[in-house]
Amino acid sequence: MYLTGRQAEILELAKTEGRVLVEDLAHRFSVTPQTIRKDLNDLCDARVLNRIHGGAIFPSGKENVKYESRRQIAAAEKQAIGRAAAALIPDNSSLFINIGTTTEAVGEALLDHKELMVITNNINVANRLRVFPSIEVVIAGGVVRGSDGGIVGEAAVDFIRQFKVDFAVIGASAIDPDGALLDFDYREVKVAQAIIANARHVILVSDSTKFERTAPVRIGHISQVQTFITDRCIIENVRKICADQDVRLVETEA
């Protein structure tokens, strides 16, 4: 398709940041929100962007958005999700925290907890929590993924299987309307599956942009978790699955 100069810049912003919002773009380009919506509709019609509530995202396809860019996507929503998850985890608990920017937000929200044992395959979480004497950090061994500091592979899976913990905090790169939890790296998925199998209470944390994405590897199904925390559940079928399967749904913007 032919792109105007503004549309080309919007596309580059989406590639870099993962997500663009109508109000931010209207301010950036000094145009009306209606003009930006038309630009986004044109870009989405050409299938170079995918529409989400209030904006658009760069299509994931088989490639994940760069990790540092993912930190900025729905950052405020992730912080609220992190606080909500941390509120469910009492002092003197053991828990898994796996790879992801939203799970990292949960780790940040746990800093004032006491006597926690945190087992993680996320170097970023381990490095943040290790300086707090009231939190014992246990880190998995295995292959360190350079893109995000995640530890993956069979060694990490075997390590996780040594434990049975009170809570697990997991994320997903995408959530399908049928309730499937999806990711990009089958090695990471194997670790996530081991985490789910070895926790008494699984907390899924995911912002609503994950409903707009897809990924090729299946982690499992939302019915396998006990609590799902998101900013907004925008897929009614997922809401119904939670109700039918006795999964507690927490919406931080509700």
Side-chain angles (χ1 to χ4, degrees), residues 17 19 67-76 78:
E17 300 179 8
R19 180 178 75 158
Y67 201 71
E68 290 304 317
S69 296
R70 283 165 51 199
R71 289 181 189 274
Q72 305 306 316
I73 298 173
K78 289 172 183 176

Side-chain angles (χ1 to χ4, degrees), residues 92-198:
N92 301 290
S93 296
S94 58
L95 65 148
F96 292 126
I97 299 179
N98 84 337
I99 303 166
T101 55
T102 311
T103 57
E104 286 182 25
V106 179
E108 286 287 336
L110 289 170
L111 297 181
D112 61 351
H113 280 53
K114 307 298 181 185
E115 304 304 321
L116 293 183
M117 180 182 187
V118 176
I119 302 145
T120 185
N121 65 325
N122 185 328
I123 283 179
N124 303 307
V125 168
N127 195 47
R128 185 70 180 96
L129 298 182
R130 65 181 174 80
V131 297
F132 291 85
S134 63
I135 301 176
E136 179 182 7
V137 178
V138 183
I139 191 163
V143 177
V144 180
R145 197 165 54 190
S147 61
D148 59 5
I151 301 172
V152 296
E154 287 302 318
V157 172
D158 291 341
F159 179 84
I160 293 297
R161 287 173 176 162
Q162 296 179 73
F163 298 90
K164 186 74 174 185
V165 301
D166 301 317
F167 296 91
V169 179
I170 67 166
S173 292
I175 302 176
D176 212 55
D178 68 1
L181 308 179
L182 306 170
D183 219 309
F184 292 89
D185 187 338
Y186 73 92
R187 300 171 302 168
E188 179 179 342
V189 164
K190 290 291 186 183
V191 178
Q193 289 169 341
I195 286 173
I196 292 170
N198 289 283

Side-chain angles (χ1 to χ4, degrees), residues 20-37:
V20 289
L21 298 176
V22 170
E23 294 300 327
D24 292 345
L25 293 173
H27 179 74
R28 181 187 185 95
F29 293 105
S30 300
V31 297
T32 65
Q34 290 78 9
T35 298
I36 295 297
R37 289 191 189 97

Side-chain angles (χ1 to χ4, degrees), residues 11 65 74 82 202:
L11 181 58
V65 179
V202 179

Side-chain angles (χ1 to χ4, degrees), residues 36-49:
I36 295 297
R37 289 191 189 97
K38 183 181 184 306
D39 285 335
L40 294 183
N41 287 339
D42 289 344
L43 291 166
C44 292
D45 288 344
R47 299 190 177 183
V48 294
L49 292 183

